[in-house]
Amino acid sequence: MEQKDILKEIISHCKEYGFVFPSSEIYDGLAATYDYGQLGAELKNNIKTYWWKSMTQLNSNIVGIDTAIFMHPTTWKASGHVDAFNDPLIDNKDSKKRYRADVLLEEYLEKQSHKIQKEVEKGIKRFGESFDKEQFLATNPNVIRIKEKQAQIEARMKTALNENNLEDLRQLIIDLEIVCPISGSKNWTEVRQFNLMFSTSLGSVAGESSTIYLRPETAQGIFVNFLNVQKSGRMKIPFGIAQIGKAFRNEIVARQFIFRMREFEQMEMQFFVKPGEELTWYEHWKEVRKKWHLNLGLGESNYRFHDHIKLAHYANAACDIEFNFPMGFKELEGIHSRTDFDLKQHELHASKKLQYFDPITNESFVPYVIETSVGLDRLFLSVLSASYTEEILEDGSERIVLKIPAALAPYKIAILPLIKKDGLPDKAQEIMRMLQLDYTIQYDEKDSIGKRYRRQDAIGTPFAITVDHETLESNTVTIRNRDTMIQDRISIESLPTFLNSHCSWSTLLGALA
């Protein structure tokens, strides 16, 4: 199946099985908004739990908070969002479609990387086992030429973005002969900046209300509560504050399913450190976050680091962990060294000190901050993208299976009485009551056992327990593995131990501890 078709299949699968629905669908929907269905809500909550436990439970110096969506409007002036939270957008006059200018250029650069990969594949085919990839990349004329072109484009793009030179950004698109994916034409408008914040009014009487904003990120709620948390929790530098919450951005170019939405959820942690130590901690958190992602088992080749071409106004170092989504490598998580920008700006605008007193050195200072910020919805999509599998079995039949990491799966277990009589449903219900305090369980007694297995495969249930007549005699059940389809006979008494070793949070988190 071509990559461009996989996303369509995932979208269709999500709706059919209750993972994600188009929002307000009975009214023909609302662009770039989605609702999470019964299985999607379970998967989403499990992803949150994995992140929250790994941050707060495995780190004694990180605590979690939950701050309000509405904040004093001066917050966003201090943070720079009012003046600088913009996207450079460009329109194609023929298709009437709007694009982010920087994304068009990044996609062009990605195509150049694909050309290099094709050259590598040619080299492997030609030289076989004697192929030296590093030497090939360093000496092949075509690869060198493509890399030089990439470097020139990146340098020009970086200068244009840093200097807010929108005219040169447009000219670069024209010089590279980038075409609109819809119309195929190069008939571009000027590049314009669009602020991404949603505004609303606080107050019920016209003329007496004040303009406030829906928060575009959750980080500022952490910064304004820095001293509250530090003092009430007696926290010592270095320490972190974590938060999961909704954020809102008026994305003009919102597409690619739940990858880019106007209402989304972030999982952010701000780690406060001594000035001068920030880049060491930046490298530390890059490795920690990479390990966290790889622990899900979605495939190391699906991840890569990408350093920012243009640094945000608050950062002295920044990179993204990118994931190989169906539409290519895209940002999954950002890791930023935010310096002391945020706390100093809030000090200035609030006229209040936001400093940490070090009792050892007997001095006060404004901490520097390392941020890790991952989009929950994007993480949800990455799990589904890597898990969605279409298989042709030995008998020629096909199955669709979601190979979701067991601890994240919406249902951990399906309990299936072989038939709906002879006391099998009663025994199955008894087993369900024994396990349901620890695991999410789906009970299913409709249709043949084969059809029930396929349904559980399609929603990602790791294990199916079948209760048959032998169960009544020997107190054993058949347990089927979703990924291998292998069935084993085990005693009912050993089920808790078996499931704990495969599905529990302690098993998943144990590799990070």
Side-chain angles (χ1 to χ4, degrees):
M1 186 185 297
E2 295 183 8
Q3 266 204 332
K4 65 180 181 181
D5 294 325
I6 293 176
L7 185 61
K8 292 181 181 178
E9 296 296 326
I10 290 172
I11 293 170
S12 175
H13 193 85
C14 281
K15 183 178 179 184
E16 181 179 358
Y17 288 96
F19 283 91
V20 183
F21 305 129
S23 183
S24 311
E25 187 178 20
I26 63 171
Y27 295 105
D28 298 324
L30 183 64
T33 58
Y34 291 89
D35 299 329
Y36 286 85
Q38 64 276 21
L39 295 186
E42 288 289 344
L43 174 56
K44 196 176 182 184
N45 284 334
N46 288 339
I47 293 172
K48 287 183 191 179
T49 299
Y50 175 47
W51 185 88
W52 189 264
K53 283 179 175 289
S54 67
M55 280 294 178
T56 63
Q57 194 167 318
L58 299 186
N59 295 282
S60 59
N61 62 341
I62 298 178
V63 294
I65 63 172
D66 184 7
T67 65
I69 288 172
F70 293 127
M71 301 184 71
H72 193 285
T74 307
T75 302
W76 307 113
K77 183 70 176 174
S79 67
H81 284 82
V82 172
D83 299 319
F85 194 54
N86 307 303
D87 272 349
L89 301 183
I90 189 169
D91 295 276
N92 183 268
K93 296 178 183 178
D94 298 318
S95 68
K96 313 299 181 187
K97 295 294 183 181
R98 183 166 288 169
Y99 303 90
R100 275 181 54 175
D102 56 332
V103 171
L104 285 176
L105 292 168
E106 287 172 357
E107 289 176 346
Y108 182 89
L109 289 169
E110 183 65 21
K111 289 178 181 177
Q112 304 308 303
S113 296
H114 288 323
K115 289 181 180 179
I116 292 175
Q117 183 57 35
K118 286 183 179 179
E119 292 292 333
V120 170
E121 290 170 0
K122 289 179 185 177
I124 294 172
K125 189 174 181 180
R126 180 179 177 185
F127 298 106
E129 293 182 1
S130 63
F131 179 71
D132 187 329
K133 184 176 179 181
E134 289 187 10
Q135 184 180 5
F136 181 84
L137 291 174
T139 59
N140 181 270
N142 288 337
V143 171
I144 292 172
R145 176 180 51 80
I146 295 170
K147 283 186 174 181
E148 288 176 349
K149 183 178 181 181
Q150 281 181 308
Q152 292 169 1
I153 294 169
E154 286 184 355
R156 187 173 167 188
M157 180 181 169
K158 181 177 182 179
T159 300
L161 288 170
N162 286 333
E163 296 178 357
N164 198 31
N165 189 338
L166 303 183
E167 184 178 341
D168 194 50
L169 206 58
R170 176 180 183 269
Q171 190 59 48
L172 181 55
I173 290 172
I174 293 171
D175 292 346
L176 295 174
E177 298 185 338
I178 294 175
V179 301
C180 169
I182 305 299
S183 67
S185 78
K186 295 171 276 189
N187 193 9
W188 298 108
T189 64
E190 301 299 316
V191 178
R192 293 169 291 170
Q193 291 282 21
F194 285 82
N195 192 279
L196 301 179
M197 283 200 295
F198 281 109
S199 62
T200 187
S201 295
L202 183 66
S204 58
V205 181
E208 295 181 5
S209 61
S210 60
T211 299
I212 61 172
Y213 300 96
L214 297 178
R215 65 182 181 193
E217 65 177 22
T218 61
Q220 299 307 319
I222 294 176
F223 294 131
V224 300
N225 279 291
F226 162 70
L227 276 186
N228 286 334
V229 173
Q230 189 271 314
K231 290 181 176 180
S232 63
R234 297 182 299 157
M235 308 298 292
K236 295 181 179 180
I237 294 283
F239 73 90
I241 303 176
Q243 178 170 208
I244 299 175
K246 291 273 190 178
F248 306 83
R249 296 180 184 177
N250 191 17
E251 297 280 3
I252 306 299
V253 186
R255 60 163 74 97
Q256 297 171 330
F257 192 34
I258 58 174
F259 179 81
R260 190 179 300 280
M261 299 189 293
R262 296 187 173 98
E263 175 187 342
F264 56 97
E265 227 167 330
Q266 288 181 307
M267 302 189 294
E268 295 194 317
M269 192 276 295
Q270 309 298 327
F271 197 72
F272 301 91
V273 303
K274 283 185 177 181
E277 297 181 358
E278 72 277 4
L279 295 182
T280 299
W281 283 108
Y282 171 72
E283 295 297 331
H284 167 82
W285 280 106
K286 282 175 64 175
E287 291 306 311
V288 169
R289 296 306 300 152
K290 179 182 178 181
K291 183 179 179 181
W292 185 90
H293 286 284
L294 293 178
N295 191 44
L296 288 173
L298 302 182
E300 187 169 1
S301 63
N302 281 325
Y303 299 91
R304 72 182 186 190
F305 279 111
H306 172 70
D307 291 324
H308 285 202
I309 293 176
K310 177 190 177 183
L311 290 177
H313 58 276
Y314 51 73
N316 65 355
C319 72
D320 294 330
I321 296 177
E322 295 184 331
F323 185 82
N324 190 18
F325 290 97
M327 53 279 189
F329 276 96
K330 300 284 185 181
E331 177 190 353
L332 177 61
E333 174 164 1
I335 302 168
H336 314 114
S337 175
R338 296 185 72 123
T339 69
D340 58 358
F341 174 84
D342 298 277
L343 292 180
K344 280 193 171 178
Q345 283 296 107
H346 290 304
E347 273 195 335
L348 176 65
H349 286 77
S351 299
K352 291 182 174 65
K353 284 189 176 183
L354 295 175
Q355 299 184 6
Y356 174 79
F357 176 74
D358 189 336
I360 298 176
T361 61
N362 201 33
E363 63 177 352
S364 295
F365 58 86
V366 177
Y368 273 46
V369 179
I370 307 302
E371 172 185 71
T372 75
S373 176
V374 58
L376 175 56
D377 307 276
R378 292 185 180 187
L379 190 54
F380 183 102
L381 182 58
S382 73
V383 170
L384 283 184
S385 299
S387 301
Y388 182 87
T389 309
E390 296 182 1
E391 294 180 347
I392 298 177
L393 306 179
E394 291 182 1
D395 61 1
S397 63
E398 297 181 4
R399 74 162 182 162
I400 294 176
V401 55
L402 293 183
K403 296 184 178 181
I404 299 171
L408 301 187
Y411 289 111
K412 307 297 185 290
I413 313 156
I415 296 184
L416 317 172
L418 188 62
I419 57 175
K420 294 189 286 186
K421 59 181 181 179
D422 299 340
L424 299 187
D426 293 335
K427 189 65 175 178
Q429 292 279 356
E430 178 186 321
I431 295 171
M432 185 173 75
R433 287 191 295 270
M434 179 183 78
L435 298 174
Q436 67 185 167
L437 291 179
D438 297 310
Y439 303 101
T440 48
I441 299 173
Q442 186 168 82
Y443 178 87
D444 190 359
E445 59 181 27
K446 182 183 178 183
D447 296 325
S448 69
I449 195 69
K451 286 184 178 180
R452 284 182 275 172
Y453 283 155
R454 290 292 175 269
R455 277 201 296 267
Q456 297 304 321
D457 291 342
I459 64 174
T461 307
F463 297 101
I465 295 172
T466 302
V467 177
D468 54 22
H469 291 92
E470 187 178 342
T471 303
L472 303 180
E473 298 172 3
S474 63
N475 215 38
T476 61
V477 292
T478 298
I479 189 161
R480 174 185 180 269
N481 184 294
R482 174 198 65 198
D483 298 341
T484 65
M485 295 186 291
I486 292 175
Q487 300 182 32
D488 293 307
R489 197 87 195 176
I490 67 172
S491 68
I492 294 174
E493 292 78 16
S494 64
L495 280 174
T497 301
F498 176 88
L499 294 170
N500 182 68
S501 66
H502 290 84
C503 302
S504 69
W505 288 117
S506 59
T507 298
L508 182 63
L509 293 169
L512 300 175

